[in-house]
Amino acid sequence: MAAVDTNILVRLLVVDDRAQFEAAQAAISFGPVWIAKTVLLETA
């Protein structure tokens, strides 16, 4: 299981840069991911 950091989560939510969004999407497309509570708090 891969862990997602704040940068990846924000890129997925904001889609401000298409290339970085696609890279983030590819990073999580391999299977289940783990998002820490601290990442959710930083994103908020």
Side-chain angles (χ1 to χ4, degrees):
M1 181 179 309
V4 173
D5 72 349
T6 306
N7 295 321
I8 292 175
L9 188 58
V10 169
R11 293 294 176 196
L12 290 170
L13 295 172
V14 176
V15 192
D16 61 341
D17 182 285
R18 191 66 169 160
Q20 290 184 2
F21 167 76
E22 290 173 0
Q25 200 171 32
I28 67 162
S29 67
F30 294 108
V33 295
W34 180 72
I35 303 173
K37 291 177 187 176
T38 54
V39 170
L40 293 175
L41 290 170
E42 288 176 344
T43 302

